[in-house]
Amino acid sequence: MKIISQCIVVGLILSIPGLLFAQTDRLGNSDFENSFLAEDQSLYQPVSLNVSDSSDYDTVNNDADHCIDSICLPESQCSNFLEQFLMQNSPVYPSMNSERVRVGGWIDQGFTGNFQKPSNNFNLPVTFNDRSNEYQMNQLYLFMERPVDFGGDELDWGFRADLLYGTDYFYTTATGLETHTNGSARWNSSDGPRRNGLNTYAMYGLAMPQLYAEFYVPWLAGVSIKAGHFYTPIGYEKVTAPDNFFYSHSYTMQYAEPFTHTGFLTTFQVNDQLQLLAGLTRGWDTWENTNHNLSLLAGIGWTSSDQATTANFVMTTGDEDTLTNPSTNRTLISLVLSHQLNDCLTYVFQSDFGIQDNGQINNQFQIVPAKWYSVNQYLYYDVSETFAWGARFEWFRDQDFSRVTQLIPAFASGGNYYEFTVGANWRPHPNVTVRPELRFDWSDTTSPFFNIQGPYRNGQADYQVLLGGDVIIRF
């Protein structure tokens, strides 16, 4: 309770600048304000630091003419079939819906073929679509929410609760919630092929990646305070399948960044071009941590006046648990730039840098900081309103072998990871997305002492080729 009380006080303090500034700078641009009532559903355009929750549906009018399945431009709101069913068959949901409470979700299922056929049937170090030559139901996703009227003229409140069942649960669990503080399974079975240290986990399981309340205050162009468990605003790619162009994920998203936070996050929309973030959390992917320390989460987002260019800079810093010390600083900064070159061509650049104190043992067997950094580039081209091509090239540097293979530098070399992915998005229906892709990974990471010839094919290859894809059906 002491930690919670401290968080509440700090969250209120972080809101004071908006209160003071609002007295002299209240925007009245209704077009701008209304644009925040629904999140952008473009697959690749990061328009703000607010994390998209893939929840835009038209709950009143389900006429297909009101749903534009464009890839190049943000969609209009689409039909929510689950919500329609509840409206017609539930005795209580219509009254809940009248209070802006809504439900929805999707199912994401796919297959990844690995030409090298690893003996353990894993595509590691590629995660999420990590099983080779095997069907995966990655996400059966359900949410219930009452979104705040961001940009409105009155105080408002909302909430969000998400449940994820599938193979992706393993990568979205939080310490102290789905797992015990020692990393062992808490909600799900420990009988399965997945491993993390000495702990084993089932292939399929349940996670609750979001559970938060949100409060909106009409200061500036809008200020919201989110409190609870929520997705990180750091980086470009997201956990939620509909918010990504590619089926697979970058090394940067998988190994360089957190997935969730627990704490408070205040969003200040200063004007139609500038957005600020500030909050306190319990660190990376934790519901509760053993060191009881808080981490700073802060960021700034900028959008050009023509909305063709965006820049998001987000950082987090604070003490995290390591094998050698339960209270050492970890700092991560992430920069994402996006520019729409023309009506159908978009380029995205991302670079992360992270450092963990006491994170690794060097060649002299001394405990030293561990560093990692990356450069990601994305290019998207819209062929039509329902079809687009995309490419991603990434260099990820695990300088001290602390993020991917977790080797001792004295017995390893390399630390560079590269991946090139080409793929497509096809939308035969506004609620259906098909995402085929071809991915090539290679790395110079080796450890002859441990008979590791490379990070792929169960430690026996320095490259791998993956051909796969998935289908997302939103309901």
Side-chain angles (χ1 to χ4, degrees), residues 273-309:
Q273 292 182 259
L274 183 63
Q275 185 182 68
L276 304 176
L277 292 183
L280 293 175
T281 73
R282 287 191 163 186
W284 292 40
D285 306 313
T286 55
W287 179 264
E288 60 183 40
N289 54 10
T290 57
N291 60 46
H292 302 296
N293 293 326
L294 298 177
S295 298
L296 173 66
L297 179 62
I300 181 171
W302 174 81
T303 303
S304 63
S305 57
D306 61 359
Q307 299 189 353
T309 305

Side-chain angles (χ1 to χ4, degrees), residues 343-407:
D343 288 342
C344 290
L345 190 62
T346 301
Y347 171 75
V348 178
F349 173 88
Q350 177 184 5
S351 182
D352 284 15
F353 175 82
I355 182 170
Q356 169 72 63
D357 287 347
N358 298 341
Q360 189 52 278
I361 301 175
N362 65 10
N363 295 336
Q364 290 74 42
F365 298 96
Q366 299 171 326
I367 299 176
V368 296
K371 300 177 182 178
W372 60 95
Y373 37 93
S374 65
V375 173
N376 293 14
Q377 297 186 84
Y378 305 77
L379 189 65
Y380 307 102
Y381 180 75
D382 296 295
V383 179
S384 69
E385 290 185 344
T386 61
F387 189 83
W389 290 104
R392 176 182 63 203
F393 178 74
E394 175 186 20
W395 167 58
F396 180 75
R397 172 67 172 165
D398 187 11
Q399 177 175 298
D400 301 289
F401 307 97
S402 66
R403 305 305 301 176
V404 184
T405 55
Q406 298 182 346
L407 298 171

Side-chain angles (χ1 to χ4, degrees), residues 18-311:
L19 175 61
L20 298 177
F21 194 15
Q23 297 175 5
T24 58
D25 191 48
R26 174 78 177 111
L27 291 181
N29 189 330
S30 59
D31 291 338
F32 162 70
E33 292 175 348
N34 291 335
S35 70
F36 285 90
L37 296 180
E39 293 168 333
D40 176 41
Q41 288 303 299
S42 168
L43 286 171
Y44 46 79
Q45 183 81 3
V47 296
S48 75
L49 291 172
N50 286 327
V51 177
S52 175
D53 290 321
S54 300
S55 58
D56 282 347
Y57 296 98
D58 187 351
T59 61
V60 179
N61 191 336
N62 61 356
D63 192 324
D65 293 338
H66 293 269
C67 200
I68 304 173
D69 53 353
S70 169
I71 296 178
C72 188
L73 298 175
E75 294 179 331
S76 64
Q77 295 178 325
C78 298
S79 301
N80 182 337
F81 302 122
L82 176 60
E83 197 158 49
Q84 292 176 24
F85 174 83
L86 293 176
M87 289 290 287
Q88 297 173 4
N89 298 278
S90 172
V92 297
Y93 189 74
S95 60
M96 295 171 58
N97 188 259
S98 66
E99 296 295 327
R100 302 207 321 270
V101 176
R102 58 184 184 177
V103 299
W106 60 84
I107 182 171
D108 175 32
Q109 48 193 334
F111 180 90
T112 303
N114 190 324
F115 293 95
Q116 294 175 291
K117 299 180 179 179
S119 59
N120 62 354
N121 290 333
F122 276 106
N123 298 321
L124 297 174
V126 173
T127 61
F128 288 86
N129 63 318
D130 56 358
R131 294 296 284 178
S132 65
N133 308 305
E134 182 178 309
Y135 163 84
Q136 288 184 255
M137 186 184 75
N138 295 88
Q139 298 180 7
L140 176 58
Y141 206 102
L142 296 172
F143 65 83
M144 175 180 286
E145 68 172 350
R146 186 183 192 272
V148 298
D149 183 10
F150 200 102
D153 297 326
E154 299 179 354
L155 294 170
D156 198 16
W157 63 275
F159 67 87
R160 172 94 180 195
D162 295 27
L163 289 176
L164 185 163
Y165 178 81
T167 58
D168 285 2
Y169 91 97
F170 179 70
Y171 300 105
T172 58
T173 57
T175 302
L177 186 60
E178 297 94 347
T179 63
H180 295 284
T181 54
N182 64 359
S184 61
R186 183 177 184 182
W187 287 9
N188 302 289
S189 172
S190 59
D191 184 15
R194 298 187 182 279
R195 300 186 63 88
N196 184 11
L198 301 177
N199 297 306
T200 58
Y201 309 86
M203 180 60 64
Y204 285 82
L206 180 69
M208 186 174 65
Q210 295 202 113
L211 180 65
Y212 65 81
E214 189 169 8
F215 305 92
Y216 170 78
V217 183
W219 302 331
L220 304 174
V223 175
S224 72
I225 303 173
K226 185 182 295 185
H229 188 53
F230 47 85
Y231 284 126
T232 183
I234 296 173
Y236 175 60
E237 297 183 14
K238 310 300 180 187
V239 170
T240 44
D243 294 317
N244 301 291
F245 187 92
F246 296 102
Y247 178 34
S248 68
H249 286 288
S250 65
Y251 289 101
T252 301
M253 185 266 195
Q254 298 169 96
Y255 294 103
E257 303 167 351
F259 297 127
T260 62
H261 303 285
T262 302
F264 295 84
L265 183 62
T266 304
T267 301
F268 304 92
Q269 193 68 46
V270 180
N271 53 42
D272 58 352
Q273 292 182 259
L274 183 63
Q275 185 182 68
L276 304 176
L277 292 183
L280 293 175
T281 73
R282 287 191 163 186
W284 292 40
D285 306 313
T286 55
W287 179 264
E288 60 183 40
N289 54 10
T290 57
N291 60 46
H292 302 296
N293 293 326
L294 298 177
S295 298
L296 173 66
L297 179 62
I300 181 171
W302 174 81
T303 303
S304 63
S305 57
D306 61 359
Q307 299 189 353
T309 305
T310 66

